[in-house]
Amino acid sequence: MRRKLVAGNWKMYGSRSMASDLAGAIGANMPAEIDVAVFPPLPYIATLRAQLVGSGLQFGAQDLSEREGQGAFTGDVSAAMLADVGANYVLVGHSERRKYHGESNECVARKFAAARAAGLTPILCVGETRQQRDNGETEAVIGQQLDAVLKLNGIASFDTALVGYEPVWAIGSGETATPQQAQHVHAFIRSKLEKEDISIARRTRLIYGGSVTATNVAKLFAQADVDGALVGGAALTATDFLQICVAAQQTPCAPRHQFR
Ligand SMILES: O=C(CO)COP(=O)(O)O
């Protein structure tokens, strides 16, 4: 049984007081039996973590340095530092990092390795652009994004990692992938991992992101291979985010083999 994860990516939004109010409301009201995590802007993680200790709310960072250890890398934050302030997860390869910071598949693979080396659980973000989908390249693009990480890290690394499918055209656009589109790509990702190791592939959680709202999430969660959500805009309002958490609790993941 894969436990559902609802992850809120706050991106570069908020302030110290807004972050405290939002995390406080989520921590006080989130349902049991699922994993709930927030990914605040970096400066807020440590204090929010201290504020929410004992609540069960988990924390993640939106990015990390690909470099391990310490060193003269101005502006970089290492995986070990994120773990030190209480982060459990880290996003790697979000499409906004790939687009605005030129992160290649190989750079993303190194970040994935750095995260795991420090005991963080990476959430590998993959997804195609509108043009790539229209050209019929969705599986090829996502296949390459996965292959780079598999090549450097091996399939065993996915035992402590998740994959986030985020079609670029659905992010912040209000245009969600249909449940069928999401399921199709999630099944493709799982089948690709299954070729390497069936049992790891069936344990790996695959979460969907891209204009997820309290209104459209139930049908996404009902899909066999959708094990949670990576929420952007709707994660900035406690009531919306909590409704998504409740929907996740109401549709627990089924073991994959039941659908075969
Ligand atoms: O990028 C996202 C989460 O990482 C999705 O953002 P939106 O939910 O705002 O589309």
Side-chain angles (χ1 to χ4, degrees):
M1 182 74 90
R2 299 184 297 269
R3 190 176 160 99
K4 274 209 163 54
L5 169 67
V6 179
N9 175 10
W10 294 2
K11 307 193 180 185
M12 197 173 77
Y13 287 103
S15 63
R16 194 152 58 136
S17 66
M18 175 274 204
S20 172
D21 289 350
L22 180 55
I26 293 166
N29 298 293
M30 65 189 208
E33 293 149 29
I34 60 163
D35 289 332
V36 181
V38 293
F39 293 66
L42 188 57
Y44 304 138
I45 294 177
T47 39
L48 292 179
R49 167 74 202 214
Q51 178 190 330
L52 273 295
V53 80
S55 68
L57 181 62
Q58 300 178 321
F59 286 89
Q62 300 170 17
D63 182 41
L64 79 166
S65 176
E66 65 185 84
R67 297 190 172 85
E68 296 178 32
Q70 312 218 351
F73 303 110
T74 300
D76 275 12
V77 174
S78 72
M81 292 167 184
L82 296 173
D84 197 20
V85 297
N88 314 95
Y89 303 94
V90 62
L91 302 181
V92 296
H94 191 283
S95 65
E96 288 151 16
R97 301 291 315 173
R98 294 179 190 262
K99 180 176 174 188
Y100 300 121
H101 297 268
E103 292 188 8
S104 64
N105 286 341
E106 290 67 34
C107 165
V108 171
R110 290 191 294 273
K111 290 190 171 194
F112 185 101
R116 289 191 65 262
L120 295 176
T121 298
I123 301 181
L124 169 64
C125 299
V126 299
E128 80 288 1
T129 63
R130 164 58 67 196
Q131 194 183 5
Q132 289 164 337
R133 172 164 283 266
D134 290 347
N135 290 345
E137 295 166 1
T138 298
E139 293 185 4
V141 167
I142 292 171
Q144 285 162 13
Q145 292 170 337
L146 289 169
D147 278 340
V149 174
L150 282 166
K151 188 173 164 203
L152 186 67
N153 297 274
I155 184 66
S157 67
F158 282 79
D159 238 353
T160 48
L162 292 85
V163 181
Y165 170 51
E166 294 208 310
V168 178
W169 48 272
I171 295 176
S173 65
E175 186 187 357
T176 320
T178 65
Q180 294 71 28
Q181 285 172 324
Q183 169 57 26
H184 182 88
V185 175
H186 283 226
F188 166 74
I189 294 168
R190 199 176 306 284
S191 70
K192 193 158 168 52
L193 299 178
E194 277 177 352
K195 286 190 191 114
E196 309 275 333
D197 186 308
I198 288 183
S199 58
I200 289 176
R202 290 182 182 176
R203 284 197 297 272
T204 303
R205 291 183 290 179
L206 312 179
I207 64 177
Y208 170 80
S211 296
V212 170
T213 65
T215 313
N216 63 27
V217 78
K219 286 190 176 141
L220 289 161
F221 283 162
Q223 304 303 309
D225 289 293
V226 176
D227 305 318
L230 186 46
V231 187
L236 296 170
T237 310
T239 47
D240 290 352
F241 188 69
L242 286 164
Q243 278 181 45
I244 293 168
C245 295
V246 169
Q249 188 202 30
Q250 288 169 351
T251 51
C253 306
R256 171 70 177 159
H257 61 260
Q258 286 189 357
F259 295 90
R260 282 269 161 94

